[in-house]
Structures are given as C-alpha cells and as structure tokens.
Amino acid sequence: GSMHALPTAAQSALDRLFEGNARLREGIALTVPDASQREELARKQRPFAAVLACIDSRVAPELVFHQEAGSLIVARVAGNVAADAAIAAFEFAAVELQVPLLFVLGHSQCGAIASAIEIVRGGERPRGLLGEAIAALLPVAKRTQHAGEAWAQNASTENVRITVQTLLERSAPLRDLVQKETAGIAGGVYDIRSGAVTRTL
C-alpha cells in the first residue's frame, strides 16, 4: 500500500499524535499553560511534530491531536496544499528545530476541495488570490472525478498524497532529511464529524 515505514523517532511522534487524537474523541479536556509552563516555554520550544493543515475553523491541529502549547509547529493553508509558506514552516521545523515528524492533515467536507470540484463541473473560479489557491487543487479534483459520491473524500486523500510529494519535490532540505531518515513524513485525513484522523500515507 501507500503506507511506508517511518524512522523510529518519527514513528514515536506519530504515535503521540494518534494517542492525542484518541483523547480528543474521548472528550478529555485540553489544558492551557499556566504561568510556570509559560515560563518554561519562553526559554525554549521543543515541538515533536510539524503539521500542515487546512484553514478550516473546525480543523485546529492542536485540538485534533490534543497537544499542548509547545508541542506542534503548525502551518495552515487553504486546502492544505504545499504553498511556499508551508514548505518554509516545515523546513524551519525539521532543519532548525530537528522535529522528527512532518504530517500533512487533510479533512472531510473541505470547502477548497468542494470549490475545485465545482470548477471541474463547470462552475466559476472565485476572484482574487482565493481563486488561485483553489486552482492548485484542480489537478486533484480532475484525477479523482470518476469516484461518484466519494469524489470529495477521494480528492481529500489524494490531495494529502500530492502535498507530501510536492513538499519533497520542491524542498531539497526536506528531501535530504527524509532520505537520511533524520525526519519522517506522513499524512492523514480528519473526519470532522467523528473526530477521528485516519492515516492515509
């Protein structure tokens, strides 16, 4: 399948993310840092993973993965695509902070993917930079279009795969770290109704 083995540190970081997602589904409250924890965080950040997620208000990675302040580097871009800012964030996390895991998080009911599907069906492209952002998802929408009712779901999964591929194609630093197994890269899709993240890559 598309699932590949991760380096040990990356796998243990992935396990931490999924343990957190289980806490979210159990309804366990996430605590905010108190004064002494803020003092500790002010000295140094030691995140264990970097997450690229969509801008959707329902998809906050710290909440999805039930992680406290200082745990995650987060980049958010419409449709969780490999935009320049997201690549730079992952490079900062992996190179400067030695974060062992990079994770691309897609989600169900994604408005950006829905818009791309509408455009493929003959709808209008939105004006401005939003239209350009959605245009980045057109190849994914076209590639998955024979999937009937599952079109959006299949597009979300395929989009995560393409984002990971693009991150590695466009970033020599990330490619080097992944090839050396200093960092691992994985991806999954968050179901906003069930609260579950499923690893797809």
Side-chain angles (χ1 to χ4, degrees), residues 7-93:
T8 311
Q11 183 60 52
S12 103
L14 189 72
D15 293 343
R16 277 178 77 177
L17 288 183
F18 279 88
E19 284 156 17
N21 182 242
R23 288 193 298 274
L24 165 84
R25 298 200 314 280
E26 286 158 28
I28 295 167
L30 186 63
T31 57
V32 295
D34 61 22
S36 73
Q37 288 166 319
R38 282 198 306 272
E39 189 56 47
E40 174 65 26
L41 284 169
R43 284 195 284 275
K44 190 171 171 54
Q45 62 167 327
R46 292 186 188 82
F48 71 87
V51 178
L52 166 55
C54 184
I55 60 170
D56 190 297
S57 64
R58 300 161 293 184
V59 187
E62 293 88 347
L63 299 181
V64 168
F65 290 118
H66 203 283
Q67 298 299 329
E68 295 180 357
S71 301
L72 302 178
I73 293 287
V74 173
R76 295 181 71 177
V77 179
N80 45 270
V81 298
D84 289 359
I87 296 173
F90 269 19
E91 288 177 350
F92 173 69

